[in-house]
């Protein structure tokens, strides 16, 4: 029987490509299971197979537990420490002691327990092997053959017992696939699940587009061209930004290829997806202008605080700039990372005039200056009271219409306006104005109502939610007075309950 074990191990290991140690462990587990059944009872059995000779022996095991351990429940599998040390003086709590027992013949279980356990162990080993093989390949392109297509997605045979899954939402819309079709995909995630390792593949990820260009454009792999980002409307249109590290090399032309061969190869892989290749620029405004291609941008206004840009195009080019269903501007926004607002030249001019008028009015109201001075500030690029207050004096003195006296006066007024605004904000934070229902309460006077509002208690509802201790602590009110006011504020609650009853 020992030779038979070795033959089985060799055969299964060669057939499945699994390490022999895994097969030995599977057979040991099967023999242990059969031995337990032979001897009956809930015993713990360990079987050890000699890896060279195939000889094996079985042992019954008991785990040593502390005499006071409340988890001592199974005398067939556990033994108290006080008994264990009588025959095994060196044993410690938590160790196992073993006694040889008669094992079963390997041939008797070959078609039963051993087969099941071996198959299970081999399957687990294959799953672990697949996970180990693909764990470091996340982010790579994979090529596989379509095994089957279901409502949930498409299963790919990747070879070597590996199976990839493309969820339906990661498939290019309206793309038709048939069994035995060859498909590429981007390995997004490797997850070991109970039913086996799941290799989740995407054909809609922007990274898939990037990897395809790396495959088709050798200059990218050589580091001469760098892909800075990509945005996709899968199956419809995509934009990809590129830059060159060699001033003699045109990155856009290299990605397009001779007569468009390279970009056409990528487009064919993506079910005919149209691809705009954009020249990356370190200037965000210029990058956005490039990304809006093929639309021509007439003017652009950058708002760094909001990470947005207003883009003006001619009236006849407005629909092209926006794209069908907003596609062009949406992809450009995703590619550049800026929120883009596309408008006609006239709309842009009207918006600028409106913002200028609002800003001019702000300066007139906050700094108490006339329209001419406010207009000069707007014209010179000042956009907030803070800028007027803290821009260096020397910079403001460069304005032709201003002298030192005017500059100092404007800066002083701006700081006063900021201080007034801060005080108002603090007062608003601390509390508001008392509501009419609070002022009209029985036993309430205007001064007390203002004190309550100063603590954020502005309405009867706010007062009803307070406790006597809160009012005593916050505004040092007499406890009886506080209780009376709270009960009066809660009167509508009791009226509603009585009405419901």
């Amino acid at each position: 029987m020992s030779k038979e074990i070795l033959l089985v191990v060799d055969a299964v290991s060669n057939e499945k490509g699994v390490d022999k140690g895994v097969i030995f462990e599977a057979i040991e587990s099967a023999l242990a299971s059969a031995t337990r059944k032979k001897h009956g009872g809930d015993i713990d059995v360990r079987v050890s197979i000699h890896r060279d000779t195939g000889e094996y022996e079985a042992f019954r095991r008991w785990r040593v537990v502390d005499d006071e351990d409340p988890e001592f429940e199974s005398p067939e599998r556990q033994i108290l420490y006080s008994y264990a040390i009588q025959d095994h003086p060196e044993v410690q709590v938590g160790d196992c002691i073993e006694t040889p027992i008669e094992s079963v013949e390997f041939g008797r279980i070959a078609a039963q327990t051993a087969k099941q356990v071996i198959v299970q162990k081999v399957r687990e080993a294959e799953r672990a092997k697949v996970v180990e093989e693909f764990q470091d390949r996340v982010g790579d392109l994979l090529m596989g053959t379509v095994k089957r297509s279901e409502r949930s997605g498409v299963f790919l045979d990747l070879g070597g017992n590996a199976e990839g899954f493309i969820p339906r939402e990661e498939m290019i819309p309206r793309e038709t696939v048939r069994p035995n079709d060859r498909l590429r995909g981007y390995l997004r995630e490797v997850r070991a699940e109970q039913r086996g390792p799941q290799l989740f593949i995407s054909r809609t990820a922007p990274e898939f587009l990037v990897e395809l260009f790396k495959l088709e454009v050798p200059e990218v792999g050589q580091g001469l061209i760098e892909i800075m980002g990509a945005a996709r409307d899968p199956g419809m249109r995509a934009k990809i930004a590129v830059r060159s590290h060699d001033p003699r090399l045109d990155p856009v032309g290299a990605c397009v290829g001779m007569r468009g061969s390279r970009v056409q190869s990528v487009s064919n892989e993506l079910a005919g997806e149209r691809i705009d290749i954009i020249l990356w620029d370190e200037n965000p405004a210029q990058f956005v202008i490039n990304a809006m291609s093929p639309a021509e941008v007439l003017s652009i206004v950058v708002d760094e605080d909001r990470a947005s840009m207003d883009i003006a195009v001619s009236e006849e080019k407005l629909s092209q700039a926006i794209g069908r269903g907003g596609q062009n501007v949406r992809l450009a926004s995703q590619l550049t990372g800026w929120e883009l607002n596309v408008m006609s030249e006239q709309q842009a001019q009207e918006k600028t005039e409106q913002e200028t008028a609002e800003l001019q009015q702000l300066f007139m109201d906050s700094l108490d200056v006339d329209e001419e001075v406010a207009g000069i500030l707007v014209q010179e690029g000042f956009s907030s009271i803070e800028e007027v207050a803290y821009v260096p004096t020397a910079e403001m003195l460069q304005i032709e219409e201003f002298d030192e006296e005017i500059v100092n006066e404007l800066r002083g007024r701006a700081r006063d306006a900021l201080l007034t605004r801060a005080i108002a904000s603090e007062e608003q934070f601390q509390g508001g104005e008392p509501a009419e229902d609070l002022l009209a309460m029985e036993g309430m006077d205007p001064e007390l109502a203002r004190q309550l509002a100063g603590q954020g208690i502005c309405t009867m509802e706010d007062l009803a939610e307070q406790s006597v201790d809160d009012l005593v602590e916050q505004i040092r009110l007499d406890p009886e007075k506080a209780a009376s006011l709270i009960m009066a504020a809660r009167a509508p609650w009791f009226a509603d309950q009585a009405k419901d009853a």
Side-chain angles (χ1 to χ4, degrees):
M1 290 302 170
S2 59
K3 291 183 179 180
E4 186 177 342
I5 289 178
L6 296 179
L7 290 173
V8 169
V9 170
D10 287 336
V12 176
S13 178
N14 293 332
E15 179 184 349
K16 299 293 186 179
V18 180
D19 185 72
K20 290 184 178 181
V22 175
I23 312 300
F24 274 117
E25 290 174 5
I27 297 176
E28 286 173 343
S29 178
L31 289 169
S33 176
T35 303
R36 279 195 298 271
K37 291 179 180 179
K38 174 183 178 180
H39 291 276
D42 184 26
I43 63 174
D44 186 12
V45 174
R46 180 179 73 86
V47 172
S48 175
I49 301 176
H50 194 282
R51 298 313 192 241
D52 296 326
T53 65
E55 298 291 338
Y56 62 92
E57 51 186 340
F59 303 89
R60 180 176 177 179
R61 296 167 22 121
W62 290 268
R63 182 166 298 279
V64 180
V65 297
D66 190 270
D67 289 27
E68 305 298 329
D69 193 339
E71 295 185 1
F72 180 70
E73 299 174 349
S74 175
E76 293 187 329
R77 287 174 170 264
Q78 298 172 322
I79 184 171
L80 294 176
Y81 176 70
S82 57
Y83 288 99
I85 59 173
Q86 295 178 10
D87 296 321
H88 306 274
E90 304 296 327
V91 76
Q92 300 291 327
V93 173
D95 294 345
C96 287
I97 58 176
E98 298 180 341
T99 302
I101 60 173
E102 183 182 356
S103 181
V104 295
E105 291 292 333
F106 177 67
R108 295 175 56 191
I109 62 167
Q112 302 172 16
T113 312
K115 180 180 178 181
Q116 296 172 2
V117 175
I118 290 172
V119 168
Q120 179 65 24
K121 290 287 185 179
V122 168
R123 195 171 294 160
E124 291 174 0
E126 289 176 344
R127 292 172 181 172
K129 184 179 178 182
V130 170
V131 171
E132 183 180 354
E133 179 183 349
F134 285 91
Q135 195 71 58
D136 296 332
R137 296 184 62 186
V138 172
D140 289 353
L141 282 183
L142 298 180
M143 172 76 85
T145 304
V146 176
K147 291 177 65 175
R148 63 186 186 277
S149 179
E150 299 178 354
R151 180 175 296 181
S152 59
V154 175
F155 291 87
L156 295 182
D157 182 1
L158 303 176
N161 295 317
E163 184 180 79
F165 177 64
I166 309 178
R168 182 59 58 186
E169 60 272 16
E170 298 288 345
M171 290 290 294
I172 296 175
R174 296 176 294 281
E175 181 179 32
T176 303
V177 296
R178 302 177 181 85
N180 297 321
D181 282 354
R182 300 280 289 173
L183 274 187
R184 278 198 182 100
Y186 174 81
L187 182 58
R188 184 187 286 276
E189 182 184 7
V190 176
R191 211 161 56 215
E193 298 188 347
Q194 188 172 3
R195 64 174 180 270
Q198 288 291 294
L199 309 180
F200 290 93
I201 298 172
S202 173
R203 285 179 56 81
T204 61
E207 295 87 353
F208 182 43
L209 175 63
V210 172
E211 293 300 321
L212 287 174
F213 268 101
K214 289 180 180 179
L215 197 65
E216 291 292 336
V217 184
E219 291 86 349
V220 175
Q222 296 166 6
L224 299 175
I225 293 176
E226 183 179 0
I227 299 177
M228 305 301 292
R232 296 180 63 192
D233 189 352
M236 300 292 290
R237 192 171 178 183
K239 290 180 183 285
I240 184 167
V242 296
R243 66 181 294 192
S244 174
H245 293 293
D246 185 342
R248 299 168 298 176
L249 184 62
D250 173 21
V252 175
C255 290
V256 171
M258 187 72 69
R259 298 180 183 177
S261 58
R262 291 175 174 177
V263 72
Q264 189 60 48
S265 297
V266 175
S267 178
N268 292 340
E269 179 66 42
L270 301 176
E273 196 169 302
R274 289 175 51 208
I275 303 170
D276 297 334
I277 301 174
I278 308 299
L279 182 62
W280 181 85
D281 198 291
E282 61 182 8
N283 182 337
Q286 184 59 52
F287 184 29
V288 167
I289 292 173
N290 296 345
M292 288 299 296
S293 174
E296 184 178 346
V297 177
L298 298 178
S299 67
I300 189 166
V301 178
V302 180
D303 186 343
E304 293 187 351
D305 293 335
R306 297 181 180 178
S308 68
M309 297 189 191
D310 291 340
I311 299 171
V313 298
S314 61
E315 187 72 42
E316 57 271 17
K317 297 290 185 179
L318 184 59
S319 59
Q320 182 187 42
I322 295 174
R324 181 182 299 176
Q327 184 186 72
N328 190 56
V329 67
R330 183 174 65 253
L331 291 176
S333 179
Q334 292 173 7
L335 183 66
T336 61
W338 288 77
E339 180 184 344
L340 306 180
N341 306 311
V342 179
M343 59 193 73
S344 67
E345 192 175 13
Q346 181 180 351
Q347 291 172 330
Q349 185 176 352
E350 291 174 355
K351 183 177 180 181
T352 300
E353 290 175 354
Q354 180 183 352
E355 291 176 348
T356 299
E358 292 174 354
L359 187 56
Q360 189 168 325
Q361 190 64 47
L362 171 67
F363 287 145
M364 292 170 64
D365 295 341
S366 301
L367 304 180
D368 192 21
V369 296
D370 58 23
E371 187 175 345
E372 181 182 357
V373 174
I376 293 172
L377 288 172
V378 173
Q379 184 179 345
E380 292 296 328
F382 289 89
S383 60
S384 66
I385 303 299
E386 287 83 358
E387 289 183 5
V388 178
Y390 299 114
V391 163
T393 304
E395 189 173 327
M396 292 189 70
L397 285 173
Q398 293 178 5
I399 301 175
E400 185 178 347
E401 294 86 352
F402 291 172
D403 57 23
E404 188 172 353
E405 182 180 351
I406 294 177
V407 168
N408 290 334
E409 181 66 24
L410 286 174
R411 287 165 60 85
R413 292 186 184 185
R415 289 175 179 174
D416 289 343
L418 292 175
L419 180 60
T420 302
R421 185 193 300 173
I423 293 173
S425 298
E426 181 67 22
E427 290 177 349
Q428 185 177 7
F429 174 76
Q430 291 179 351
E433 291 294 322
E436 292 184 6
D437 63 345
L438 187 69
L439 287 167
M441 279 182 56
E442 183 179 351
M444 183 66 67
D445 59 72
E447 177 60 30
L448 178 56
R450 280 194 294 273
Q451 290 182 32
L452 290 169
Q455 299 297 324
I457 306 170
C458 302
T459 65
M460 282 182 62
E461 185 71 20
D462 294 338
L463 181 57
E465 294 175 352
Q466 305 301 310
S467 68
V468 173
D469 291 340
D470 290 336
L471 295 187
V472 171
E473 182 179 344
Q474 291 175 10
I475 58 176
R476 302 184 182 281
L477 199 62
D478 178 77
E480 293 185 7
K481 177 72 170 177
S484 174
L485 288 173
I486 291 173
M487 290 303 295
R490 292 177 179 174
W493 292 2
F494 302 121
D496 292 341
Q497 293 177 2
K499 190 183 297 182
D500 294 339

